[in-house]
Amino acid sequence: MAVVLFVGGLGRSGTTLVERLMGELPGVCALGEVVHLWQRDVRDDERCGCGAPFSACRFWQLVGERAFGGWHRVDVYRVLALKEAVERTRHIPRLAGSRLPDDLRGLVEEYAGYYRAIYTAAAEVSGATVVVDSSKHSALAHCLRWAPDIDLRVAHVVRDARGVAYSWTKTVGRPETDGADTMTRYAPGRSALLWNAHNAAFGLLARRGVPVLRVRYEQLVGAPVDELRRLAAFTGVDLSGADLGFVTGTYADLRVGHSAAGNPMRFEVGRIPLRHDDTWMAALPPGQRRLVGAVCAPLLRAYGYPLRATGTAGTGVATTPGDPR
């Protein structure tokens, strides 16, 4: 079984960028947010990161053949029912125990089995030794923990909660729907609560013995080569001197990928900038900034973020990007 790198954290924290950068490394296959594949791709036939409809993407059709004998043999509504039954944040205390409760065991094992089949098939089709799932959801990571034949490792991506809160207030279109839909938006207070819950859940996962590597988004865009070396070592990827030639301190050159779902950044190809952006310091109203800072203060402090924002928007002094992917 290939190593599965699960990229987790609250959305708008940089998980898609981590997935795309990892996908450029030798022996690594980036899959996007597999958690959304069942509904958005298998059922609704939205576009793959390569630009083709899911049903026309050769990579994903080969994966479906190997995993299930074809996607038409997957009962999507059964998978979605399992997701609703077990992959909920409220179930994390039960999923994080030393044993699964009897009423969850069979459901969790069945649900995780669908992911195991995709990971195995994707590794076989691509020849990869590492597959990357940027599903983000902490409850899914806790479910996957119970699949004994998944070599699960977690990249826990964190970002300053105030920058995350500002990003969630923005309207972002979903290109795969050709302008018919936009991404979810949250008020700052709501995103602060979610930031706490999801990040704490990944801390709990680490305490249950799952290998977890914390990646600060600010550090990733500030020193991408160093952070990619850390991630490569964490997943057992051996790098040569030329393997990181696609990334510098200011940009990364990305090839076409096959991300099944996720942030619109999955469609970007070519040279993308890597830079700090402290727009939130001016754009997020002071009252909301203070609210998020107060709600998230314990974890902000634990992750090394200042509780008081300093610097002036646009100066590059602050280390928090304004709109991560």
Side-chain angles (χ1 to χ4, degrees), residues 10 46 84 141 146 166 186 192-193 206:
L10 183 61
E46 292 187 359
E84 182 69 18
W146 291 102
Y166 171 63
Y186 292 127
L193 294 173

Side-chain angles (χ1 to χ4, degrees), residues 136-147:
K136 299 193 294 289
H137 295 189
S138 51
L140 175 55
H142 278 272
C143 288
L144 296 176
R145 166 190 171 228
W146 291 102

